[in-house]
């Protein structure tokens, strides 16, 4: 007969680098700083964080309550020596289920374990009868991580509370916006349908409100409330004026403000807007500067193939924020160019700009200049001076390809215009 190979029975649970690190961390516990009651309350609250489920929380609470309260004093040693069979009986689960849950708690860093060769759990005592070590379930790591886990629970609860508040506010704003649309008698049929389509677009972007993030809900709520104010023809909020009333206007050419475009009401806006190729108002505002950004869009497409000019001047982010207060209206508060670039896709979705138009703008202008162009487009769309933001952005992209785009002058002109409006 051939040689038989005898497989030695593995001793204890599999040790991974993470579990070994948890064991080392448990040895640094300052016993006596946390009570058993505090740990029991924490174990019950951990389910909201997603670290453990309800059954694992039940087992962890049973482990904590098994250890005497004095074991969490300075001279104590919070180690559980109960068998899996006894724990399974106490929580009403099978022995195999308890074993798997203990492994999950070990991996989550909520307990550490030291198994003996025969899988028995027992204490090791000194000559005075005090427990110095043992093979069992060690709870000291909970003492080490108590502050971290308790803060995690607080954060999750605060986020949940904020999410619930944002959800309630969004649903109320959506209901109020639809009611205001049906009750707005001053709007024409075309204006009502356009605003209704915009409300539906916001609702489609949010999707299932209960699954949307708090950030998206807050931005959608701000936009809906802004639409309600416009339908009710309310004046602009004074808080915005207070924030910008101290701003100066250093970018006015020759000390004189130059009118760029003229605002129009909902009913008159369609008659005053140009086509998607130019997307600008007619030149009847004679004070508009011939070097302004909108002047380049009013030129024919036959001039697009002219030689490329020098690169555009770079504007500061604060200039863009002054020129486009609609960014704040829609809930955008970029603190860097990277933040503004990350917000461009959502800005395009809110304004109805297609992904292809945005991709072309980024390819032709670069991310930063494209972000400025989208911000300018959003501002003009907010002022109801642009009926097709997608066509407006495509026209800017074509002018950029011809080297005839003057973003800096447009930004400075809008900033000066907003500043003058605040002063008056």
């Amino acid at each position: 007969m051939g040689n038989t190979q005898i497989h030695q029975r593995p001793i204890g649970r599999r040790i991974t680098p993470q579990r070994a690190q948890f064991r080392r961390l448990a040895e640094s516990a300052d016993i006596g700083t946390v009570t058993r009651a505090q740990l029991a309350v924490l174990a019950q609250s951990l389910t909201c964080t997603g670290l453990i489920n309800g059954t694992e929380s039940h087992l962890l609470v049973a482990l904590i309550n098994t250890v005497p309260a004095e074991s969490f004093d300075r001279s104590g040693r919070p180690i559980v020596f109960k068998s899996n069979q006894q724990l399974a009986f106490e929580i009403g689960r099978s022995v195999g289920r308890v074993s798997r849950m203990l492994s999950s708690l070990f991996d989550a860093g909520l307990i550490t374990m030291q198994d003996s060769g025969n899988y028995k759990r027992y204490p090791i005592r000194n000559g005075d009868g005090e427990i110095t070590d043992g093979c069992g379930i060690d709870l000291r790591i909970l003492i080490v991580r108590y502050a971290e886990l308790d803060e995690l629970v607080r954060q999750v609860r605060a986020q949940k509370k904020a999410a619930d508040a944002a959800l309630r506010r969004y649903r109320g704003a959506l209901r109020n916006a639809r009611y205001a649309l049906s009750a707005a008698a001053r709007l024409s049929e075309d204006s009502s349908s356009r605003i209704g389509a915009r409300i539906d677009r916001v609702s489609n972007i949010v999707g299932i409100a209960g699954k949307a993030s708090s950030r998206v809900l807050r931005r959608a709520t701000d936009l809906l409330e802004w639409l309600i104010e416009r339908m009710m023809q309310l004046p602009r909020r004074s808080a915005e004026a207070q924030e910008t009333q101290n701003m100066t206007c250093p970018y006015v050419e020759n000390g004189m403000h130059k009118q760029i475009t003229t605002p129009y009401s909902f009913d008159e806006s369609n008659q005053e807007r140009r086509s998607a190729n130019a997307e600008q108002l007619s030149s009847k505002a004679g004070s508009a500067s011939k070097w302004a950004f909108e002047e380049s869009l009013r030129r024919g497409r036959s001039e697009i193939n002219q030689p490329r000019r020098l690169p555009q001047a770079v504007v500061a982010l604060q200039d863009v924020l002054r020129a486009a207060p609609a960014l704040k209206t829609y809930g955008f508060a970029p603190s860097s160019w990277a933040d503004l670039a990350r917000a461009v896709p959502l800005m395009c979705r809110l304004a109805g700009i297609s992904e292809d138009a945005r991709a072309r703008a980024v390819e032709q202008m670069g991310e930063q200049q494209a972000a400025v162009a989208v911000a300018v487009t959003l501002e003009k769309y907010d002022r109801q001076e642009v009926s097709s933001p997608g066509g407006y952005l495509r026209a800017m992209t074509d002018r950029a390809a011809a080297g005839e785009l003057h973003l800096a002058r447009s930004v400075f002109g809008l900033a000066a215009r907003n500043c003058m409006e605040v002063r008056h």
Side-chain angles (χ1 to χ4, degrees):
M1 296 180 63
N3 296 332
T4 58
Q5 184 177 2
I6 300 176
H7 295 279
Q8 186 177 3
R9 183 184 182 187
I11 300 177
R13 295 179 183 269
R14 179 172 55 89
I15 297 300
T16 63
Q18 186 180 24
R19 290 181 175 181
Q21 181 65 25
F22 286 147
R23 282 185 177 180
R24 179 182 298 179
L25 185 62
E27 294 175 357
S28 63
D30 187 9
I31 302 176
T33 57
V34 180
T35 64
R36 185 180 68 173
Q38 290 176 308
L39 293 180
V41 173
L42 175 64
Q44 293 174 348
S45 304
L46 284 176
T47 53
C48 68
T49 64
L51 289 177
I52 56 177
N53 55 35
T55 308
E56 292 168 347
S57 175
H58 187 194
L59 175 59
L60 185 58
V61 172
L63 293 173
I64 294 173
N65 291 332
T66 297
V67 181
E70 56 270 15
S71 297
F72 291 92
D73 295 337
R74 288 289 180 182
S75 59
R77 198 66 177 268
I79 302 178
V80 178
F81 304 106
K82 283 183 178 179
S83 64
N84 289 355
Q85 185 175 3
Q86 180 62 28
L87 293 173
F89 172 76
E90 292 181 0
I91 68 172
R93 295 293 185 270
S94 65
V95 177
R97 180 70 182 278
V98 169
S99 180
R100 291 191 295 271
M101 287 193 294
L102 289 175
S103 296
S104 298
L105 293 176
F106 200 169
D107 292 331
L110 302 178
I111 62 172
T112 58
M113 301 182 66
Q114 178 67 43
D115 292 331
S116 63
N118 57 0
Y119 292 94
K120 301 296 182 180
R121 293 171 183 155
Y122 54 86
I124 300 176
R125 303 178 183 273
N126 57 14
D128 298 331
E130 297 177 351
I131 299 177
T132 58
D133 201 355
C135 295
I137 305 171
D138 197 340
L139 302 178
R140 288 180 296 174
I141 192 170
L142 278 177
I143 300 176
V144 178
R145 302 187 62 193
Y146 176 79
E148 169 196 351
L149 297 174
D150 184 61
E151 180 62 24
L152 178 61
V153 171
R154 293 177 184 272
Q155 291 179 0
V156 171
R157 287 178 173 173
Q159 292 173 0
K160 176 62 176 175
K161 186 176 180 180
D164 292 342
L167 178 60
R168 290 192 299 268
R169 185 182 174 194
Y170 164 74
R171 287 174 173 171
L174 182 60
R175 181 174 60 251
N176 293 337
R178 288 171 175 168
Y179 178 79
L181 179 62
S182 62
R186 298 181 179 180
L187 298 179
S188 64
E189 182 179 354
D190 182 65
S191 298
S192 299
S193 61
R194 188 171 65 254
I195 298 175
R198 194 170 182 183
I199 294 175
D200 293 337
R201 187 188 309 154
V202 173
S203 178
N204 293 334
I205 291 175
V206 173
I208 301 177
K211 297 182 179 179
S213 64
S214 300
R215 181 168 172 265
V216 173
L217 291 176
R218 286 194 297 268
R219 289 187 174 182
T221 302
D222 292 340
L223 178 56
L224 291 173
E225 291 178 348
W226 171 79
L227 287 174
I228 294 173
E229 293 177 357
R230 286 297 180 91
M231 286 186 286
M232 298 293 102
Q233 296 185 355
L234 299 178
R236 290 203 172 193
R237 299 185 182 183
S238 59
E240 297 180 5
Q242 292 176 359
E243 292 178 1
T244 57
Q245 63 182 355
N246 294 326
M247 292 184 180
T248 58
C249 301
Y251 304 111
V252 181
E253 185 176 350
N254 297 328
M256 180 187 302
H257 169 65
K258 294 196 173 184
Q259 181 71 20
I260 296 179
T261 51
T262 304
Y264 293 91
S265 63
F266 277 115
D267 297 332
E268 302 174 353
S269 59
N270 283 342
Q271 300 177 359
E272 301 297 337
R273 292 169 182 152
R274 295 176 62 89
S275 64
N277 292 333
E279 303 257 318
Q280 286 297 306
L281 302 176
S282 61
S283 58
K284 64 181 181 180
S287 58
S289 172
K290 64 180 181 179
W291 299 110
F293 161 66
E294 288 75 17
E295 180 67 21
S296 65
L297 291 183
R298 283 197 289 266
R299 299 176 185 175
R301 283 185 175 271
S302 60
E303 304 178 17
I304 292 180
N305 295 325
Q306 294 181 0
R308 188 182 300 269
R309 296 186 180 181
L310 294 176
Q312 293 290 315
V314 179
V315 297
L317 180 60
Q318 294 301 322
D319 299 331
V320 177
L321 297 180
R322 282 195 292 266
L327 293 176
K328 182 179 179 181
T329 302
Y330 284 82
F332 300 102
S335 58
S336 63
W337 286 111
D339 292 341
L340 182 62
R342 283 192 293 267
V344 166
L346 183 55
M347 292 162 57
C348 291
R349 292 174 65 184
L350 291 175
I353 299 174
S354 65
E355 178 65 23
D356 178 69
R358 182 183 70 85
R360 285 189 56 198
V362 172
E363 180 181 0
Q364 183 62 42
M365 308 179 197
E367 287 190 0
Q368 181 170 326
Q369 292 297 312
V372 176
V374 172
V376 171
T377 304
L378 186 65
E379 172 65 20
K380 291 189 173 296
Y381 182 57
D382 177 68
R383 289 175 173 269
Q384 307 167 30
E385 298 166 3
V386 170
S387 59
S388 177
Y392 187 80
L393 183 62
R394 290 181 185 275
M396 282 193 287
T397 304
D398 293 339
R399 296 302 173 187
E404 299 175 352
L405 187 62
H406 305 283
L407 273 177
R409 290 172 180 170
S410 181
V411 169
F412 296 155
L414 283 173
R417 174 182 173 182
N418 292 329
C419 185
M420 294 295 291
E421 289 177 354
V422 170
R423 287 187 173 184
H424 292 83

